[in-house]
Amino acid sequence: MTEPILAGGEPILAARTLSKEYGTASALVRAVDDVSLTVNQGESVAIVGPSGCGKSTLLYLLGGLERPTAGTLALDSQPIHDMPESRLARLRRHAVGFVFQAFHLVDELTALENIELPALLAGASPSAARERARDLLEQVDLSDRAAHLPSALSGGQRQRVAIARALANRPRVVLADEPTGNLDSAATTDVLRLFDQLRTAGQTLVVVTHDSRVAATADRLISMRDGAFVDETRLTGGSARSLTEITGLEA
Amino acid sequence: MGRILLIWRLVLGDIRRRPVQAAMLVLMIVTTTTTLTLGLALHKVTDSPFARTRAATRGPDVVAQIAPQSGAVARPATQFASLLRSGQVTAISGPYPFSIASLTAPGIDILAQAEGRDLAPAKLDQPALTEGSWVRPGGAVLESGFAASLGLKPGDAIHLNGHRFTVAGVAVSAAQCFYPVTKPGVIWLTRTDAERLAPRAQALGYVLNLKLAHPEAVEDFAFGPIGNAFFNQPSNEVVTSLQTWLDIRHEDFQVISVDEKGLLISSSLLALVALATIAVVVGARMTEQTRRVGLLKAVGATPWLVAAVVLAEHLLLALLAAVAGVAAGKLLAPLLTDPGAGLLGSPPAPPLPATAILIVVAVAVAVAVTATLVPAVRAARVSTIRALADPAHPPRRRPWLIALSARLPVPLLFGLRLLARRPRRAALTAASLTIAVAMLVAALSLQHRIDVHDQTNAGYLVGSGSVADRVSHLVYLLSGILVVLAGVTAMFTTWATAIDAQRPTALARALGATPRQVGVGLTAAQLIPGLIAACLGIPVGLGLYQAAGGHLHEASPPLLWLLALIPGTLIVVAALTAIPARLGATRSPAEVLRSD
Ligand SMILES: Nc1ncnc2c1ncn2[C@@H]1O[C@H](COP(=O)(O)OP(=O)(O)OP(=O)(O)O)[C@@H](O)[C@H]1O
Ligand SMILES: [Mg+2]
């Protein structure tokens, strides 16, 4: 995220007629229904829609955490919809960073240890992983909380640690599912500011959200209903607007 | 009423939500109550068999025999007279005539001591039937050890000195040791039949049973003036012998005590393990309940309702399982008690009384409830927020382990951190696996002792259905039960751990671990306690065996067998973990992570 990347570059994610069904017969749920989407390098995309419309499912599909029932999906130019699980895992390490609504930090690890975890899992040396984690902690402005356990952090701080963790392996794309869903408005502002920084730095981002303020930080806004895209807006100069303007708060 | 309905609904809901766990708990309690019932039944058999036989057959205090020297004729009236004159004798039975006859049947040709008896029950030494009916003209009753050794049962045809007889029954007696300790084996006929067998009167000997006023002073009687007078008969006429009930008991014990101890070790081991296992299972289950308790309280449940739900659930499961287990135990008990009874030459053990069954059920339920009670009360009293925020035991943080594991390959990093996260669970796993290994070691020791016993007595205990054969049969059965119990214990703990590890597994995969890495990590997390358990289980098992009365110095199992248990345990644990580990490794992480 430090090197500048041109918006509108190569496609990082390319989904064609993607579908995901759960259950069978009368209990069949078509959570994602025939969705096509291309996300280019450096782009930031927000997906909004009512509860249960399939936003999380789509995000898990895009990140390769869930398999589509039909359709094709390319991540970083490699088709992943039928890629063997272990190859997919290795690709995912460097291609995707996840941020969850429920944070999903490891309770018994400190903030710093949580952030270095993906690097360790990807086989980085302990010292390299540690160094990277310190950098990220500084970027999310939590250097003084390095040794704190998640239980000793506020909600906004936890989510910032989770975002830093998602960035640990310098992923091509960060996928965030309701990153502010569990936060109050002050904490939301912290996280929003961070996303804004990421977008400016050229990090590719896909954010699922209920929150219009989060949606407003994106370049593109996609609306979903019943598993399908119903509307797509290119936010004019989303990057040009200041955070203050978007949030209505003093930054 | 509404409250009871609510509790009922919550209980059913929880069981339905986690059916595998409920099934596991039921399975454990069924297995343990079955073994407990078997243990009790076995105890009934092994509990002082001689005393029971003596009581059931009105056993004599002294058994006097005269056998004529070649050419002479035994004269019981005069030759027993010295004994009968004694004021200490309060009752007698006999003298009964006997002769040594050759017993033949298809595949059998052996000597037997055929004794003539009255049809009416005797005041002293009335053999107790374990099968069939008492003597009748043409109908013979065989001593139980003898019958088992020859494989004869009521209805079979035999020939005694060429005369045809039908086996009418099988009985035990406390007037002599069981076959093959007493040789030749004893067979009872009517007086007329017994006298008819003797080729000539010279061949008949006589048995006289005596009851004394002071049975405990029997040795004074036998070795005092009265006994001496009996022994000092003109030696060219008869051979005399005088056996006291203490002699008979002693000889019986020579053989039985070894085997009885084996049975006792096994049955006490079973009972011990059974109780420990229930406690382990309920404890493991309870650690997952606290979060649910928080939810209940958050929606307005009182602490007592919460405790009631938790208790009711385990009470229900334990009760169902205990009843099923006792039923299974009663069905299986004859497998153990029948050979056991024959083995010990005692009448069959009385069926387990209702109170004993009630005790088994009560103990199983009490252990389950006690194990639940502490966490239930704690759950009821814990603050709602804390319960919601964190499970019963918040994961432990071991900074040095986290730092150390960062330097290890990914599967070990993951496995070690999983282990460190739930040290108590790991200890529980290690403990129950230790019990399992210890049980195996004890079973091996028992089996090995039988092998050694078999070899040293090879020339002595012949024929199919010999004592040794029947003991090994029993030991195989017991070892089988122990191994099943051990397997179920190990399986439960590995499953519980794998289920507990679901979320960290899903998270590790979302953060970039491959399925293989988490699979190997999950297995490693089990192998570490498995290794500890294997190393601890061997001395613990030997100790248990020794403590229960086994003699390691006589026959300790070969070192190689014991050492083989270590890799064996690890292989079994790895195999048991493989399925849940695979599930954890391949299940969609999204599904696990979103259910929150
Ligand atoms: N494992 C599953 N089995 C069956 N149905 C499922 C499963 N997971 C999700 N669904 C269904 O798929 C649909 C889409 O779910 P999804 O979680 O993607 O919605 P969402 O848009 O993220 O909702 P929210 O905004 O509330 O998070 C829902 O109707 C849900 O009930
Ligand atoms: Mg969602």
Side-chain angles (χ1 to χ4, degrees):
Chain A
M1 55 171 270
T2 42
E3 55 272 284
I5 298 163
L6 291 172
E10 301 163 15
I12 299 272
L13 278 170
R16 293 286 160 267
T17 60
L18 212 53
S19 293
K20 176 70 183 179
E21 291 169 1
Y22 290 112
T24 49
S26 62
L28 185 96
V29 177
R30 188 158 289 172
V32 170
D33 191 3
D34 205 20
V35 162
S36 295
L37 168 71
T38 305
V39 179
N40 289 330
Q41 199 162 347
E43 225 181 351
S44 100
V45 178
I47 299 173
V48 294
S51 180
C53 71
K55 305 181 297 289
S56 298
T57 308
L58 176 63
L59 202 71
Y60 292 138
L61 285 174
L62 294 179
L65 283 185
E66 196 111 71
R67 298 270 180 182
T69 314
T72 62
L73 176 63
L75 175 60
D76 210 10
S77 311
Q78 301 191 48
I80 63 162
H81 50 274
D82 54 0
M83 187 180 272
E85 197 58 48
S86 48
R87 256 190 72 201
L88 179 57
R90 278 191 291 273
L91 171 67
R92 207 164 50 207
R93 270 176 200 165
H94 296 285
V96 184
F98 269 99
V99 180
F100 302 95
Q101 174 174 358
F103 318 136
H104 287 314
L105 294 177
V106 182
D107 297 329
E108 68 273 21
L109 297 184
T110 63
L112 192 68
E113 286 163 351
N114 262 289
I115 296 171
E116 71 181 3
L117 189 59
L120 289 176
L121 288 176
S125 79
S127 57
R130 180 56 55 104
E131 198 180 323
R132 171 78 180 148
R134 283 200 196 287
D135 282 352
L136 285 167
L137 210 51
E138 198 168 317
Q139 276 184 46
V140 300
D141 206 13
L142 285 173
S143 293
D144 53 339
R145 296 286 189 275
H148 288 224
L149 291 176
S151 55
L153 297 174
S154 75
Q157 290 169 336
R158 283 186 214 187
Q159 195 58 297
R160 273 144 68 198
V161 170
I163 294 169
R165 185 180 64 181
L167 296 170
N169 287 331
R170 297 188 169 84
R172 310 296 310 272
V173 55
V174 169
L175 303 176
D177 189 4
E178 310 270 11
T180 58
N182 276 343
L183 302 179
D184 64 13
S185 91
T188 299
T189 310
D190 282 350
V191 171
L192 277 178
R193 190 182 297 125
L194 190 54
F195 273 118
D196 202 44
Q197 280 173 23
L198 290 177
R199 193 182 51 77
T200 330
Q203 172 71 52
T204 315
L205 269 172
V206 178
V207 184
V208 158
T209 185
H210 271 119
D211 191 324
S212 58
R213 290 176 302 167
V214 180
T217 62
D219 300 327
R220 257 161 88 200
L221 178 64
I222 295 172
S223 299
M224 265 183 99
R225 191 169 302 254
D226 295 333
F229 288 174
V230 289
D231 188 34
E232 182 166 343
T233 323
R234 195 159 280 280
L235 295 173
T236 44
S239 52
R241 291 198 288 166
S242 76
L243 187 63
T244 325
E245 196 184 323
I246 294 162
T247 60
L249 291 165
E250 280 306 315
Chain B
M1 198 55 214
R3 188 165 305 165
I4 290 174
L5 199 70
L6 176 62
I7 292 176
W8 176 243
R9 238 194 262 145
L10 288 170
V11 165
L12 281 191
D14 190 50
I15 294 174
R16 242 187 254 133
R17 203 161 63 87
R18 291 180 301 178
V20 177
Q21 291 206 26
M24 274 290 185
L25 180 71
V26 168
L27 182 66
M28 286 306 308
I29 297 182
V30 167
T31 326
T32 47
T33 43
T34 303
T35 37
L36 213 58
T37 311
L38 286 178
L40 272 183
L42 207 57
H43 210 80
K44 279 248 168 241
V45 175
T46 57
D47 184 30
S48 48
F50 182 79
R52 274 195 294 125
T53 308
R54 193 166 141 79
T57 62
R58 296 189 285 278
D61 296 329
V62 178
V63 180
Q65 271 197 24
I66 50 175
Q69 288 286 52
S70 50
V73 176
R75 288 167 290 117
T78 53
Q79 282 155 348
F80 284 131
S82 59
L83 297 175
L84 295 171
R85 272 198 299 274
S86 160
Q88 289 181 46
V89 175
T90 57
I92 62 161
S93 73
Y96 298 117
F98 73 84
S99 67
I100 303 301
S102 88
L103 187 164
T104 51
I108 300 173
D109 185 0
I110 196 168
L111 287 182
Q113 170 166 336
E115 210 174 291
R117 287 302 189 118
D118 300 317
L119 298 181
K123 275 198 305 260
L124 279 183
D125 185 34
Q126 175 56 42
L129 289 164
T130 59
E131 276 178 273
S133 54
W134 186 230
V135 297
R136 57 172 189 261
V141 172
L142 270 71
E143 188 271 320
S144 135
F146 199 34
S149 169
L150 300 179
L152 291 171
K153 54 187 186 309
D156 289 347
I158 55 172
H159 285 86
L160 291 169
N161 284 354
H163 301 275
R164 192 191 144 85
F165 284 87
T166 307
V167 177
V170 174
V172 293
S173 153
Q176 72 277 309
C177 292
F178 53 83
Y179 183 86
V181 179
T182 293
K183 270 189 175 176
V186 174
I187 183 163
W188 294 282
L189 309 170
T190 62
R191 267 179 197 271
T192 340
D193 281 342
E195 281 161 0
R196 195 157 55 100
L197 279 190
R200 46 186 203 289
Q202 287 91 324
L204 278 180
Y206 291 89
V207 183
L208 180 70
N209 300 305
L210 306 174
K211 180 106 204 125
L212 302 185
H214 304 287
E216 62 290 347
V218 69
E219 308 219 301
D220 297 342
F221 177 87
F223 304 114
I226 302 166
N228 283 338
F230 173 66
F231 278 123
N232 294 330
Q233 314 258 2
S235 58
N236 55 352
E237 285 180 21
V238 282
V239 179
T240 55
S241 83
L242 209 56
Q243 258 201 316
T244 70
W245 68 279
L246 291 175
D247 297 334
I248 300 168
R249 188 178 69 170
H250 179 73
E251 274 187 48
D252 253 5
F253 273 15
Q254 289 290 299
V255 170
I256 293 176
S257 62
V258 190
D259 307 319
E260 192 188 8
K261 254 182 225 151
L263 300 183
L264 261 174
I265 296 168
S266 323
S267 56
S268 21
L269 211 67
L270 284 183
L272 199 83
V273 164
L275 296 181
T277 325
I278 295 183
V280 166
V281 172
V282 176
R285 208 175 135 77
M286 279 316 296
T287 59
E288 288 147 24
Q289 289 273 355
T290 312
R291 210 183 148 75
R292 184 158 163 273
V293 166
L295 283 173
L296 284 178
K297 288 171 85 174
V299 298
T302 63
W304 288 114
L305 181 87
V306 166
V309 169
V310 173
L311 276 177
E313 180 176 344
H314 286 95
L315 194 67
L316 179 74
L317 291 177
L319 204 62
L320 282 179
V323 169
V326 167
K330 271 190 77 93
L331 274 178
L332 289 175
L335 278 182
L336 286 188
T337 52
D338 283 358
L343 160 76
L344 302 174
S346 62
L352 279 181
T355 49
I357 289 170
L358 273 181
I359 287 173
V360 173
V361 173
V363 165
V365 171
V367 171
V369 168
T370 313
T372 321
L373 200 60
V374 177
V377 169
R378 199 176 49 202
R381 294 172 64 178
V382 74
S383 96
T384 309
I385 297 305
R386 259 196 55 199
L388 265 184
D390 249 334
H393 308 292
R396 295 297 164 77
R397 177 176 162 76
R398 295 274 137 85
W400 62 270
L401 245 174
I402 288 165
L404 172 78
S405 59
R407 302 182 182 281
L408 299 176
V410 172
L412 271 180
L413 176 149
F414 179 64
L416 211 59
R417 287 189 179 181
L418 265 187
L419 207 62
R421 202 171 157 262
R422 292 264 179 240
R424 238 186 280 189
R425 168 64 59 76
L428 217 65
T429 309
S432 56
L433 284 174
T434 303
I435 294 176
V437 174
M439 284 190 281
L440 265 175
V441 169
L444 271 180
S445 309
L446 210 61
Q447 181 54 48
H448 182 68
R449 193 196 45 68
I450 297 302
D451 286 350
V452 171
H453 193 255
D454 260 4
Q455 279 159 21
T456 46
N457 294 291
Y460 166 55
L461 303 170
V462 284
S464 68
S466 72
V467 175
D469 265 4
R470 278 172 293 149
V471 173
S472 8
H473 173 67
L474 217 53
V475 169
Y476 279 129
L477 264 171
L478 287 168
S479 317
I481 297 173
L482 285 173
V483 170
V484 167
L485 203 58
V488 172
T489 311
M491 203 166 80
F492 178 82
T493 43
T494 39
W495 266 97
T497 312
I499 287 168
D500 187 55
Q502 256 182 6
R503 268 167 52 90
T505 306
L507 187 60
R509 288 194 52 207
L511 295 182
T514 66
R516 238 182 91 84
Q517 287 171 332
V518 297
V520 174
L522 269 172
T523 307
Q526 293 298 301
L527 286 182
I528 295 170
L531 183 66
I532 296 171
C535 295
L536 279 181
I538 293 172
V540 169
L542 291 177
L544 263 178
Y545 176 72
Q546 181 87 326
H551 293 290
L552 284 178
H553 54 272
E554 272 175 23
S556 67
L559 192 65
L560 208 65
W561 287 17
L562 295 179
L563 289 182
L565 272 178
I566 296 178
T569 308
L570 294 183
I571 289 169
V572 168
V573 169
L576 281 175
T577 327
I579 301 166
R582 246 195 95 69
L583 278 181
T586 52
R587 193 177 159 196
S588 151
E591 201 180 318
V592 180
L593 289 177
R594 77 154 88 205
S595 67
D596 203 57

